[in-house]
Amino acid sequence: MKERSKAYQKRIDKALATPKLQQALHQFGDAYLVSREKAFAGLDFEALRREIGVMKDDVRNNHARYMQQFIDNAQAAGATIYQADTAEDANRYIAELAVKQGVKLTVKSKSMASEETHLNKALEAANIKPLETDLGEWILQLSGQRPSHMVMPAIHMFKEEIADLFSKETGQQEPADIAHLVEIARQQLRQGYLDADMGISGANLAIAETGGIALVTNEGNARLATTLPKTHVALIGIDKLVPTLEDAAKVIRVLPKNATGQALTSYVTWIRGAVPCEGGEKDLHIVLLDNGRSRLAADENCCETSRCIRCGACANVCPVYQSVGGHVFGHIYIGAVGIILTAFFHGLDNAAEIVKACIGCRSCVAVCPADIDLERIILSLRETIADKEGIGGGKSLVFRKVMRNRKLFHGLLRAASVLQKPVTRGERTIRHLPLFFSPLTEWRTLPAIADKPLRDIWPKQQLNAPAKKVALFGGCANDFLYPELGTDLIEVMNHLNVEVDYPLEQNCCGVPALYSGDKETAIELAKQNINAMLKGNPEAVLTTCPTCTMALQRDFIECLKDDPSWKAKAEKLAEITVDAAGYIVNQLEAADQFENLPLPQKVTYHDSCHLKRGAGVWREPRQLIETSGHELVEMDHADRCCGFGGSYSLTSHPEIAKQILGDKLQDIEKTGADCVAMDCPGCMMQLRGGLEKNESKVQVAHTIELLAAGLRAEKAASD
Amino acid sequence: MDLYNQFCVAAETSGAVLVDCKGPVEAVAYIVKHSDGGVLVPSSESFKRVDLADQLQKAGATLLEVNRSQAAEAASGVTSACFAIADTGTLVLESTPEDVRLASTLPTRHFVLLDRSKIVADGLAAVDSLRRMHQRDTRNYIAYITGPSRTADIERVLTIGVHGPKQLHILLLNDWSSDLLEM
């Protein structure tokens, strides 16, 4: 294992051993969702974010022109502009300016850009004292740590630790009372503003129309730091540029609401040019920082990230972040966008571990105020890193030599179903694995490979005049782990007079390869599956696994986009692919065919990440469950990831996956439901595994299985 | 809800204290009662019309000269808002003159006089005036102020009054000023 990977693993272990941190981040995550919803009440978030996306894309496409406009206007108002290509360049300019002006003390308001460039180190090396005045940043400066969140930098710390830090500053024992600690910060930092010769700030916006900047803050330190010292240096990433004041207002409308659920921060400060200062005028220097931003904007796969307005919401809702915090899931910038920014601002090497830490649940995509498909971009970065570093010998062999050869792959799975007998003891689940495999079954059971896969037991259907003929894309789990899910689907579809075919040449959907960065294998599998599924010319291709759904609806097109004839076929397949519940409710409009079936239970529903946030399906299964007579009870965080994530929970990050599963199991048990339903075999594997290990009474079922069981009971009753 | 009521609800939610005043005399009396020490009164057009500083002094306020050393000692600052934004309860202060910034950042208490008629719907509706300010002056320091200074940096617990004013009092008046660009 690489040194880098070992250090990363250590950070994970340490974070997971700090339950207080997880508790704090979970509490914040819950409170955030409530206040965010309140803040956006009456507003159309989807429309707002599309608007920001379009505006920021325009800036990206016309960056040179808007930037020149900004610079011209800022200079006309008396500002000095410096364009820094790199972090070192920016630091050197600011330190030299400070030395030239004889500055001894600078007061800083919060600036992620200065964290990015390690400006404080550069100032200290030039014998200049940087005093952080944002409360969170000051706490971190006193403790020698870096931010673990972009908006709330010291979110990982507790009042007792902070009281100790402050006690050292004041020379007396300070009580761990938050109001008291805040008052100490006020008293301790006040003189700094009056003594400092230079104030350093960041900016949330640079406005081309005016040549001014805007700062969105709460504490009031930025207003002091930009007012009292005679020199003001604003360090601004060039991606903060917007064309007009309206555009700035649109960003400000969304930023605090999405960052912390605040309608607006206490202060929004618009500064243009060298404003009055102690009888003279302010010496204003605007340092425009590139440091990888131009490369990011020019990158075919990642350029959308330039839209980011740095609200930090992608971390707030991330189950991985909530489990390990920003010191693990981030470098300087944290969370989903942090992975991407790190790759461009701090180099691929610093991003190589955290790029694998994303579980792919798309919760960040759902809340991004700039409409950035963070998950897709992280996947493409994974691919870039895999190309550079390889994806590991074993994995590579499995993908290239085995999965691409369907007969070999399926032959090995069949062989495994026989070989597993000693550990399954004839049961459907594996409770313990021997030797070095044992950690895999420590916290959840694993499903055994079925004696006979779905493809071998696919029955001939006897419908006289089927209304529709469709095909099932089973995916590996439905085919080899849960074949009964496939036969249940037949039962449900036949009930609606729909005939289902199972094309035997279908192979793995390719997501495991794609998510590991092996695009070549993914492309090969996409082609095999397109041929297999389109061959019988079905009216629809049904899926029971939402990850497969996304592969067929989205990834195949992306994989084959450079080959027009294949792309057309991929688009054809995407068009007719639909998950089973959505097909019944939306296309057949046949939910009422399952009205009041026997065997009603108390059922809670778990939203699978790729079904809700990928396919946009979440109402449909609920409708089917309720129509068929079950009592539906909602669990807390119904759409939070279960922690499966394919190889994420099996090999790459089992400890984090276990943590996320633990949260989900608690939410399920709290409902008092008899059964938890879902529409994903991956989630079934994870949740059944966790519930069985906990010896829970709660049953796990696919929505289709619930419907089929009801139909069978109805039939048995009428016979 | 009309803009005025919407503003009042939002401003109170943000932690500001709203004070209904029949006229400047009542506002002066309120400020004197709550100023708790030295008061900074930076000059502005609306203040000049009624000689507010003089009125405050006559009513017993301790006026301080608006400079850095005095500002650092002041308990209260008194300013006037150009206009307000209804949906967020925000005050807009033309703060390019340094005096206004000293009076609104350093003291513990900030009193702002606002004409009830000068309220726009939201941040986008404010842009028109914001742009005219940028057209009128070549250099600008314009402040949107929503409630008192706040932080949640320690354990995400909302705490009022970290570096800026701990109290924001909004004194609501009629016939005080009608120009959205006037302080």
Side-chain angles (χ1 to χ4, degrees):
Chain A
M1 201 194 257
K2 283 187 177 169
E3 277 307 313
R4 186 189 72 200
S5 307
K6 275 189 209 159
Y8 170 66
Q9 189 57 46
K10 259 194 187 157
R11 287 201 298 277
I12 293 179
D13 294 344
K14 193 178 155 206
L16 287 173
T18 317
K20 224 174 143 189
L21 170 74
Q22 288 145 27
Q23 200 194 344
L25 295 177
H26 278 68
Q27 275 171 5
F28 165 63
D30 284 355
Y32 164 75
L33 288 178
V34 174
S35 36
R36 177 179 179 273
E37 200 181 322
K38 216 170 135 194
F40 278 110
L43 294 171
D44 181 352
F45 178 69
E46 291 302 324
L48 294 178
R49 69 172 177 169
R50 269 196 303 274
E51 207 175 17
I52 289 179
V54 169
M55 182 268 289
K56 295 283 277 190
D57 283 354
D58 171 46
V59 174
R60 188 182 75 229
N61 294 330
N62 299 287
H63 200 268
R65 178 160 61 81
Y66 287 125
M67 187 49 96
Q68 196 54 50
Q69 191 189 357
F70 173 79
I71 291 172
D72 291 345
N73 286 328
Q75 285 174 335
T80 305
I81 299 283
Y82 184 75
Q83 292 179 275
D85 278 341
T86 62
E88 297 72 36
D89 193 12
N91 290 349
R92 186 189 45 73
Y93 178 82
I94 298 169
E96 281 181 9
L97 177 70
V99 169
K100 198 171 78 192
Q101 297 188 343
V103 171
K104 296 273 174 285
L105 173 69
T106 69
V107 277
K108 289 183 67 202
S109 70
K110 186 170 174 299
S111 155
M112 277 307 294
S114 77
E115 291 284 352
E116 171 189 336
T117 65
H118 301 288
L119 176 61
N120 288 1
K121 273 190 199 156
L123 291 172
E124 280 160 359
N127 283 320
I128 296 149
K129 187 180 171 194
L131 177 63
E132 296 286 357
T133 61
D134 172 83
L135 176 57
E137 289 285 346
W138 188 51
I139 293 167
L140 295 182
Q141 187 175 36
L142 293 178
S143 65
Q145 298 190 51
R146 67 174 171 85
S148 75
H149 190 282
M150 292 200 288
V151 177
M152 287 157 295
I155 192 170
H156 61 285
M157 295 185 72
F158 297 93
K159 56 181 187 289
E160 291 76 17
E161 310 167 69
I162 296 165
D164 287 346
L165 288 170
F166 285 11
S167 300
K168 278 184 206 146
E169 283 302 292
T170 60
Q172 58 188 53
Q173 189 55 48
E174 303 292 352
D177 170 76
I178 292 175
H180 174 73
L181 294 172
V182 170
E183 183 61 26
I184 291 178
R186 182 182 177 96
Q187 300 306 335
Q188 290 286 314
L189 292 168
R190 186 129 289 231
Q191 195 57 39
Y193 304 113
L194 297 159
D195 293 344
D197 305 301
M198 179 184 276
I200 299 174
S201 76
N204 298 89
L205 294 154
I207 303 130
E209 176 192 350
T210 61
I213 60 173
L215 282 77
V216 180
T217 67
N218 270 315
E219 295 186 359
N221 59 317
R223 282 159 54 73
L224 288 159
T226 57
T227 292
L228 295 169
K230 67 179 188 298
T231 300
H232 172 199
V233 176
L235 177 63
I236 309 173
I238 57 169
D239 48 353
K240 295 288 178 72
L241 191 61
V242 297
T244 66
L245 288 169
E246 278 87 358
D247 297 321
K250 285 174 189 170
V251 172
I252 291 166
R253 175 168 60 183
V254 165
L255 177 59
K257 293 182 179 73
N258 215 55
T260 57
Q262 227 184 324
L264 187 62
T265 47
S266 297
Y267 306 109
V268 176
T269 307
W270 308 81
I271 303 173
R272 173 172 65 170
V275 293
C277 181
E278 267 201 305
E281 64 180 35
K282 179 80 81 179
D283 188 13
L284 171 65
H285 294 255
I286 298 176
V287 180
L288 297 165
L289 178 68
D290 188 317
N291 199 36
R293 286 166 176 80
S294 293
R295 254 185 338 106
L296 175 63
D299 187 283
E300 188 197 351
N301 293 316
C302 306
C303 61
E304 232 175 61
T305 315
S306 298
R307 295 175 186 167
C308 175
I309 60 170
R310 307 284 193 278
C311 69
C314 52
N316 298 353
V317 298
C318 171
V320 178
Y321 175 81
Q322 287 176 358
S323 299
V324 293
H327 285 164
V328 177
F329 197 39
H331 179 61
I332 303 293
Y333 292 97
I334 55 106
V337 82
I339 297 172
I340 308 165
L341 298 181
T342 300
F344 285 85
F345 301 174
H346 295 106
L348 273 182
D349 194 50
N350 281 311
E353 297 294 339
I354 52 177
V355 80
K356 295 180 214 154
C358 167
I359 196 168
C361 75
R362 297 182 67 78
S363 54
C364 53
V365 181
V367 297
C368 176
D371 208 11
I372 306 170
D373 193 339
L374 294 150
E375 188 223 2
R376 183 190 59 74
I377 297 170
I378 289 168
L379 278 183
S380 83
L381 267 181
R382 216 177 266 177
E383 202 184 301
T384 309
I385 288 169
D387 284 347
K388 203 167 145 260
E389 299 192 347
I391 58 169
K395 238 182 187 177
S396 168
L397 189 73
V398 171
F399 291 147
R400 279 161 212 272
K401 299 287 182 201
V402 180
M403 289 180 101
R404 288 190 205 180
N405 182 338
R406 187 188 63 77
K407 283 187 179 152
L408 174 61
F409 176 42
H410 288 167
L412 285 172
L413 285 172
R414 286 172 207 276
S417 94
V418 178
L419 290 171
Q420 70 186 350
K421 289 272 155 45
V423 293
T424 61
R425 304 183 185 96
E427 288 183 28
R428 291 296 307 274
T429 52
I430 304 170
R431 287 166 194 279
H432 304 283
L433 280 169
L435 302 168
F436 49 86
F437 294 114
S438 65
L440 284 176
T441 48
E442 235 164 52
W443 47 273
R444 64 167 178 206
T445 63
L446 286 173
I449 296 170
D451 284 344
K452 284 195 171 169
L454 180 60
R455 55 183 61 240
D456 289 3
I457 56 169
W458 193 260
K460 213 171 162 57
Q461 292 152 63
Q462 281 152 358
L463 297 175
N464 283 331
K468 307 256 178 206
K469 287 188 173 183
V470 301
L472 169 64
F473 185 83
C476 305
N478 196 162
D479 201 341
F480 287 87
L481 298 176
Y482 302 122
E484 66 282 0
L485 170 59
T487 49
D488 281 354
L489 180 80
I490 295 172
E491 197 152 350
V492 167
M493 286 301 151
N494 285 180
H495 176 68
L496 302 171
N497 200 26
V498 174
E499 188 177 288
V500 194
D501 177 35
Y502 197 80
L504 291 177
E505 278 154 31
Q506 61 180 287
N507 197 347
C508 166
C509 70
V511 162
L514 192 65
Y515 282 30
S516 301
D518 180 359
K519 195 165 186 178
E520 253 182 70
T521 298
I523 290 173
E524 170 60 29
L525 292 173
K527 289 180 177 173
Q528 289 182 18
N529 284 318
I530 289 171
N531 279 341
M533 299 314 293
L534 291 180
K535 203 171 170 184
N537 206 18
E539 288 174 70
V541 170
L542 304 190
T543 51
T544 49
C545 164
T547 303
C548 297
T549 314
M550 283 198 80
L552 270 62
Q553 286 183 342
R554 179 192 76 169
D555 298 337
F556 288 2
I557 300 175
E558 173 66 24
C559 281
L560 298 167
K561 66 177 178 214
D562 296 329
D563 184 331
S565 70
W566 273 110
K567 184 171 171 252
K569 287 192 214 175
E571 284 168 347
K572 164 79 182 148
L573 177 59
E575 210 174 285
I576 59 171
T577 298
V578 58
D579 76 285
Y583 184 67
I584 298 169
V585 173
N586 300 328
Q587 260 134 298
L588 299 178
E589 297 180 359
D592 58 351
Q593 296 296 307
F594 300 94
E595 247 167 32
N596 298 325
L597 295 174
L599 303 178
Q601 298 184 79
K602 195 169 169 185
V603 177
T604 188
Y605 189 77
H606 161 69
D607 288 291
S608 301
C609 300
H610 288 171
L611 189 66
K612 183 169 185 193
R613 290 180 289 271
V617 169
W618 53 280
R619 295 182 193 88
E620 294 83 348
R622 285 178 170 79
Q623 188 182 338
L624 290 171
I625 289 165
E626 285 196 298
T627 308
S628 59
H630 298 293
E631 180 198 350
L632 181 68
V633 282
E634 290 292 341
M635 67 174 95
D636 291 338
H637 319 105
D639 65 356
R640 192 174 192 263
C641 181
C642 69
F644 177 62
S647 59
Y648 192 91
S649 67
L650 290 166
T651 52
S652 85
H653 292 80
E655 320 84 344
I656 296 177
K658 174 188 169 192
Q659 192 72 39
I660 298 172
L661 172 65
D663 295 338
K664 181 56 80 174
L665 296 182
Q666 267 185 17
D667 286 334
I668 294 171
E669 295 284 4
K670 225 177 91 186
T671 62
D674 309 309
C675 172
V676 53
M678 63 211 69
D679 284 73
C680 169
C683 299
M684 283 165 66
M685 190 194 288
Q686 176 84 340
L687 294 181
R688 190 173 282 163
L691 289 165
E692 279 186 354
K693 207 74 188 180
N694 286 357
E695 298 182 345
S696 165
K697 290 195 181 72
V698 182
Q699 296 296 306
V700 172
H702 198 287
T703 302
I704 296 299
E705 292 179 330
L706 277 182
L707 295 180
L711 290 175
R712 278 194 295 273
E714 191 174 50
K715 212 169 157 199
S718 68
D719 279 352
Chain B
M1 212 180 344
D2 64 10
L3 290 181
Y4 173 70
N5 282 310
Q6 203 189 346
F7 168 78
C8 290
V9 171
E12 280 194 322
T13 306
S14 75
V17 178
L18 296 185
V19 188
D20 271 310
C21 299
K22 289 203 181 70
V25 176
E26 212 175 303
V28 163
Y30 180 88
I31 295 168
V32 171
K33 190 175 165 199
H34 294 92
S35 57
D36 196 39
V39 183
L40 302 171
V41 189
S43 176
S44 76
E45 289 137 79
S46 61
F47 283 8
K48 272 191 252 169
R49 267 200 299 275
V50 298
D51 208 350
L52 193 86
D54 191 53
Q55 285 199 48
L56 278 165
Q57 195 154 26
K58 281 181 182 148
T62 313
L63 292 202
L64 301 175
E65 217 176 296
V66 192
N67 60 41
R68 278 153 198 251
S69 58
Q70 297 270 290
E73 304 301 321
S76 294
V78 183
T79 65
S80 179
C82 297
F83 65 97
I85 302 172
D87 72 336
T88 49
T90 301
L91 302 168
V92 178
L93 270 71
E94 165 58 79
S95 309
T96 313
E98 196 184 40
D99 290 3
V100 176
R101 280 180 273 147
L102 294 178
S104 59
T105 57
L106 281 163
T108 316
R109 298 170 185 215
H110 184 195
F111 299 86
V112 186
L113 282 69
L114 170 70
D115 190 297
R116 287 191 181 89
S117 69
K118 295 206 290 183
I119 298 174
V120 301
D122 54 28
L124 271 177
V127 167
D128 176 53
S129 302
L130 190 63
R131 178 169 286 125
R132 286 197 288 133
M133 286 176 178
H134 279 89
Q135 286 161 350
R136 183 185 63 188
D137 306 312
T138 54
R139 296 164 188 204
N140 317 76
Y141 195 115
I142 300 158
Y144 284 11
I145 298 178
T146 310
S149 150
R150 67 188 59 222
T151 184
D153 272 356
I154 303 179
E155 296 190 2
R156 308 156 328 280
V157 174
L158 176 65
T159 313
I160 296 298
V162 51
H163 300 293
K166 295 179 181 181
Q167 297 177 12
L168 177 69
H169 302 260
I170 304 175
L171 303 142
L172 298 155
L173 295 156
N174 289 330
D175 306 319
W176 171 253
S177 160
S178 57
D179 179 356
L180 266 68
L181 268 58
E182 181 191 83
M183 274 284 278

